[in-house]
Amino acid sequence: MGKIKKYVKQFFERADIFLLVVCTISAIYGVFMVNKAVIAMAAGDWLSNPTKYVLVQVFSILLGLVFFVLMTVIDSDLLADQWRILCIINVLLLVALVIFGADDGTGNKSWIRFAGIGIQPSEVIKIIYIVVAAKQMTYLKEHKDINSLFSIVQMAGHMVIVFGAIVVVSSDLGSASILLVIFLVMLFCLGVKLYWFALGGAAVAAVIPLLWTYFLKDYQKKRLLSPYDPSIDPDGWGISWQTTQSKLTLASGRLTGVDEEHTRTVFTGKHTDFIFSTTGETLGMIGCIVVIILLIVIIVHIAKIGLNCGRTFDMLLCMGVAGAMAAQMFINIGMCIGITPVIGITLPFFSYGGSSMVTMYAAVGLVSGVKYKPKPQHTALT
């Protein structure tokens, strides 16, 4: 019993409890919003048994807390040393998607479902990519010239393989786009020269016509263009229907929100991708501002830990997680207000979804683990 108390005390002394508290406040806030969304959807016959969704979200938070603790106390360096096993896990997840994947009517074959449980492999793949890429980039920085063609090709090749696999296997442009942002943020923080970003941008521009012509489906093209070309869906009842309903939902809440009797819009995704719109409807602009503040506090805190940790590998882990969360926040809120395409991106800690919740807790657990490491390793980066 004494040893358990010692380990618990040690955990609370060394782990990032502030990060844990802010993330959990956000998650509980999200449960409240999910509850509001599913009640409204059930009243409109869009789904049944709303209580199930709330219970799943609460259970996901509890499981996420377990993963936060595990990822905090497990040395991320030892985890990264098993990069071959991590890569094999990614491959197995993609193979499982090919065999057992389901699209749930979204057009993206991005879910594996069994016994009533759904798992989104891309969420796990994203976290594994951050760990393995941080390991790879750290090695190249410490043993090679990070700005050499050899190093750039290795790092870009790793990203392209994972990015391409996700797109080909699941057609999940949302998860693939987050992966790209993670890669770019980590490269920038690593100190890669800007001319490589310019060359990379030119290469992407050259490849886009091929991707557009041979890989993207018609509905994906329309979804990507609809926020910027009103002629694609002039009435807002086609490909941009969800965005139209989302904007109406946000506008109805005004400053402080409306009560359940005055809920104006019910549509698919109010509890998942469009939870921000539900917040605006229920708690108004004030509720939305609180969501944004909470997420910014989390992202800035993670970035601060990374910039002050004193080790390249730990810094890249933190900046990868911060980049992923910032990208998801921007794209998700952009989807809700109609400035970014609807590509199935969840709002971290707020949207309904067990895979997203657990992996987000695991990701911030990695960051907490950076702080948890012995103090002598934590000297400011120079």
Side-chain angles (χ1 to χ4, degrees):
M1 194 68 178
K3 285 187 177 181
I4 294 176
K5 289 183 178 179
K6 176 183 176 182
Y7 289 137
V8 170
K9 180 180 178 182
Q10 184 184 65
F11 176 82
F12 280 96
E13 287 176 347
R14 292 168 53 186
D16 197 327
I17 302 303
F18 174 80
L19 181 60
L20 175 61
V21 169
V22 178
C23 290
T24 304
I25 289 173
S26 300
I28 293 172
Y29 190 173
V31 171
F32 178 70
M33 290 298 103
V34 167
N35 181 55
K36 291 290 185 180
V38 295
I39 288 175
M41 293 173 72
D45 293 327
W46 284 80
L47 55 78
S48 60
N49 192 11
T51 303
K52 180 191 75 172
Y53 293 86
V54 176
L55 292 176
V56 168
Q57 194 74 344
V58 171
F59 176 77
S60 299
I61 293 172
L62 295 176
L63 186 58
L65 290 171
V66 173
F67 272 86
F68 178 90
V69 174
L70 290 176
M71 300 308 292
T72 296
V73 300
I74 294 174
D75 192 324
S76 54
D77 289 280
L78 298 178
L79 184 64
D81 287 341
Q82 305 303 317
W83 61 269
R84 294 179 181 85
I85 295 176
L86 295 177
C87 289
I88 291 172
I89 292 173
N90 269 355
V91 171
L92 292 176
L93 287 171
L94 290 168
V95 171
L97 263 183
V98 173
I99 300 173
F100 305 108
D103 64 10
D104 289 350
T106 64
N108 298 336
K109 192 178 179 181
S110 54
W111 290 89
I112 298 174
R113 297 197 177 276
F114 57 93
I117 300 174
I119 297 175
Q120 191 172 12
S122 60
E123 294 289 341
V124 181
I125 290 171
K126 177 173 61 182
I127 304 303
I128 291 177
Y129 174 78
I130 291 174
V131 175
V132 176
K135 174 75 173 179
Q136 178 191 40
M137 292 178 180
T138 301
Y139 173 81
L140 291 173
K141 183 177 180 66
E142 294 177 352
H143 299 90
K144 309 287 182 181
D145 178 7
I146 197 64
N147 285 292
S148 69
L149 179 62
F150 174 79
S151 296
I152 296 298
V153 168
Q154 280 198 68
M155 293 184 291
H158 180 196
M159 189 280 298
V160 168
I161 289 171
V162 182
F163 181 98
I166 291 175
V167 172
V168 171
V169 171
S170 67
S171 300
D172 189 352
L173 289 175
S175 296
S177 65
I178 299 300
L179 192 76
L180 177 59
V181 173
I182 291 170
F183 171 69
L184 294 175
V185 169
M186 293 175 74
L187 275 191
F188 181 80
C189 295
L190 189 65
V192 170
K193 299 296 184 182
L194 293 180
Y195 61 77
W196 283 116
F197 289 91
L199 289 173
V204 170
V207 171
I208 284 177
L210 294 175
L211 294 174
W212 189 265
T213 303
Y214 297 107
F215 289 93
L216 294 184
K217 300 174 183 177
D218 287 340
Y219 80 89
Q220 291 175 319
K221 295 176 183 178
K222 291 179 180 179
R223 187 178 292 173
L224 290 172
L225 292 175
S226 60
Y228 320 111
D229 186 357
S231 65
I232 292 176
D233 185 17
D235 298 324
W237 290 98
I239 196 73
S240 60
W241 180 76
Q242 280 185 306
T243 301
T244 301
Q245 300 306 306
S246 172
K247 290 190 287 187
L248 289 172
T249 301
L250 270 172
S252 69
R254 301 191 178 183
L255 182 65
T256 58
V258 296
D259 54 36
E260 294 179 15
E261 289 77 12
H262 295 87
T263 298
R264 297 185 180 182
T265 56
V266 181
F267 61 100
T268 56
K270 283 194 73 171
H271 60 314
T272 54
D273 298 344
F274 295 95
I275 195 69
F276 187 77
S277 299
T278 299
T279 304
E281 179 183 47
T282 305
L283 298 176
M285 185 176 69
I286 293 175
C288 290
I289 290 174
V290 173
V291 169
I292 293 172
I293 289 174
L294 285 170
L295 288 173
I296 289 176
V297 168
I298 293 170
I299 293 166
V300 171
H301 184 74
I302 291 172
K304 182 179 178 182
I305 291 173
L307 293 175
N308 292 282
C309 66
R311 299 179 67 239
T312 300
F313 173 74
D314 291 336
M315 180 271 291
L316 290 173
L317 276 184
C318 294
M319 300 311 291
V321 173
M325 291 192 64
Q328 288 189 219
M329 174 184 170
F330 174 80
I331 295 174
N332 180 275
I333 294 177
M335 284 163 42
C336 292
I337 64 178
I339 64 172
T340 58
V342 178
I343 52 177
I345 296 296
T346 57
L347 190 62
F349 294 107
F350 289 91
S351 292
Y352 171 80
S355 297
S356 175
M357 183 67 72
V358 173
T359 52
M360 278 293 103
Y361 266 110
V364 295
L366 283 173
V367 176
S368 177
V370 170
K371 183 179 178 182
Y372 192 82
K373 290 177 181 178
K375 296 297 182 184
Q377 296 184 17
H378 292 269
T379 55
L381 286 169
T382 55

